[in-house]
Amino acid sequence: MSRLLQTPFLPSVSLPTKTRSSIPGFRVKPRTIPIQAKIREIFMPALSSTMTEGKIVSWVKSEGDKLNKGESVVVVESDKADMDVETFYDGYLAAIMVEEGGVAPVGSAIALLAETEDEIADAKAKASGGGGGGDSKAPPPPSPPPAAVEAPVAVEKKVAAPVKAVAASAVHPASEGGKRVVASPYAKKLAKELKVELAGLVGSGPMGRIVAKDVEAAVSDGGSVQAAVAVKEVAAAPGVELGSVVPFTTMQGAVSRNMVESLAVPTFRVGYTITTDALDALYKKVKSKGVTMTALLAKATALALARHPVVNSSCRDGNSFVYNSSINVAVAVAIDGGLITPVLQNADKVDIYSLSRKWKELVDKARAKQLQPQEYNTGTFTLSNLGMFGVDRFDAILPPGTGAIMAVGASQPSVVATKDGRIGMKNQMQVNVTADHRVIYGADLALFLQTLASIIEDPKDLTF
């Protein structure tokens, strides 16, 4: 969902009127008529409840462009996703104060909007510190990285050596070695309309992200063969500079703050061993229909939570807790440069086939950094699964604002003793739940895990 830019008027200015003295013996005292300035400040919007600053991924519009209310102006990277941001007013984009790649605190000015073309010059003067109607309260935005400024120049020149150099330093970390194209939402839309293949472009945005002007450049010059060659060369030689100091990305900064915040919550952990033979057999039957193991685990967890609502509760103020009305299972997903938890909403009520399709959609959007806030910040219980990596057990850190998180290990063959005293082989997995001890107690988790185990060991209810 796009967000609206907040653009209040700058302070008013006062201009004196002319003195009328055409009638002999009659004087009119000069008076001032307040005339409201028609220049607005465009602020960095808050795109999520945890966002404190945002990075400009790309400007959809250029300085001097006419803007219509509801039109996308800029793509902003929040702590979780990239979002197109719309303007709430008509006017002209007079001055861009934070260039692509620059970071600005929420609420600080990132551009100026003029109501008419006549005010564009005044807005530019104000943006450069030339005065006009009051000072902005926002601190000056940081300068954009050199690569974000130099990359477009190198691409536009169409010289082989510079293009190759830009590509070598501009591979986006989310491109998975060049296998997946990383582009701004507007660039993707523009490429689709103009029928441009994004895989053949070199991005000039932050860290190699393809932005709208890269698509436009490809159309104007018929596509850049050199750019495509450069991408292939870079893909063959990815690397990390050892000993280098790398600042947090916006997402990594958000994860860091959340993890520190979680230390203020008194937590405890309970582990349980669950036999998965029946679940594995069910998975083999429904896998061809698009059902994923993640969806099966989420569904089983949601059904168990429905019987133990206290485990689905949350305490936010330290004085009370909430029995959440919906069971929204968030599942941790590792993406390049961070971690995010897409949410399967009402997982107890959605059938397993729809749940699997929704999960695939959420993962694709997460990796493209296109999740909307309600798709990642509405979880009431979290799953973290490292079983696909062969991890047999681990502990997870409780996300702030939730009551519990469950760490799921790999299902592995184990030698077990049966109830009749015999020895047999069964597939088993270890789960460890970390919970907020202010609300959830040991007996609560024990009963919840018993219910979860019974559902997984007899999974007939998962495919209703």
Side-chain angles (χ1 to χ4, degrees), residues 44-295:
M44 173 64 73
L47 302 178
S48 72
S49 59
T50 58
M51 179 177 168
T52 58
E53 63 182 15
K55 177 186 287 186
I56 304 298
V57 175
S58 63
W59 284 97
V60 179
K61 298 293 184 178
S62 302
E63 289 187 352
D65 285 354
K66 179 74 170 66
L67 304 180
N68 296 315
K69 180 180 177 181
E71 200 171 13
S72 292
V73 179
V74 62
V75 179
V76 173
E77 177 188 355
S78 70
D79 53 357
K80 300 292 184 183
D82 294 356
M83 294 187 187
D84 283 306
V85 181
E86 302 173 351
T87 177
F88 195 65
Y89 300 94
D90 295 333
Y92 293 84
L93 183 58
I96 293 175
M97 302 169 68
V98 182
E99 296 292 342
E100 294 180 357
V103 177
V106 169
S108 64
I110 58 175
L112 296 180
L113 178 71
E115 186 172 318
T116 65
E117 288 185 277
D118 296 336
E119 279 81 35
I120 293 180
D122 294 338
K124 286 183 178 291
K126 176 171 179 58
S128 61
D135 299 328
S136 173
K137 297 180 180 179
S143 301
V149 177
E150 296 171 2
V153 178
V155 172
E156 291 168 1
K157 287 184 178 178
K158 305 178 188 176
V159 181
V163 170
K164 182 175 179 180
V166 170
S169 62
V171 173
H172 198 284
S175 67
E176 297 178 354
K179 296 180 181 178
R180 183 168 56 82
V181 176
V182 179
S184 70
Y186 183 67
K188 292 179 180 178
K189 178 181 178 182
L190 192 61
K192 185 176 181 180
E193 293 174 352
L194 300 178
K195 297 182 180 180
V196 175
E197 182 60 47
L198 291 175
L201 303 183
V202 174
S204 63
M207 303 185 75
R209 186 183 187 87
I210 296 173
V211 294
K213 56 188 172 185
D214 301 323
V215 179
E216 294 168 350
V219 174
S220 63
D221 62 16
S224 175
V225 177
Q226 295 170 343
V229 173
V231 170
K232 292 181 180 178
E233 292 179 1
V234 172
V240 175
E241 185 179 350
L242 300 180
S244 60
V245 177
V246 182
F248 280 164
T249 63
T250 307
M251 180 175 288
Q252 287 171 331
V255 172
S256 175
R257 290 190 296 272
N258 284 341
M259 295 303 96
V260 172
E261 183 181 343
S262 70
L263 296 177
V265 178
T267 59
F268 73 109
R269 295 163 181 82
V270 174
Y272 206 91
T273 302
I274 302 176
T275 300
T276 62
D277 290 326
L279 183 67
D280 294 338
L282 174 63
Y283 177 57
K284 289 180 181 179
K285 291 181 180 179
V286 297
K287 182 179 180 181
S288 61
K289 299 179 181 179
V291 175
T292 65
M293 180 58 76
T294 296

Side-chain angles (χ1 to χ4, degrees), residues 360-373:
K360 184 180 184 302
E361 175 191 334
L362 289 172
V363 170
D364 290 342
K365 293 177 72 173
R367 288 175 177 165
K369 298 189 70 178
Q370 293 303 305
L371 287 175
Q372 298 301 310

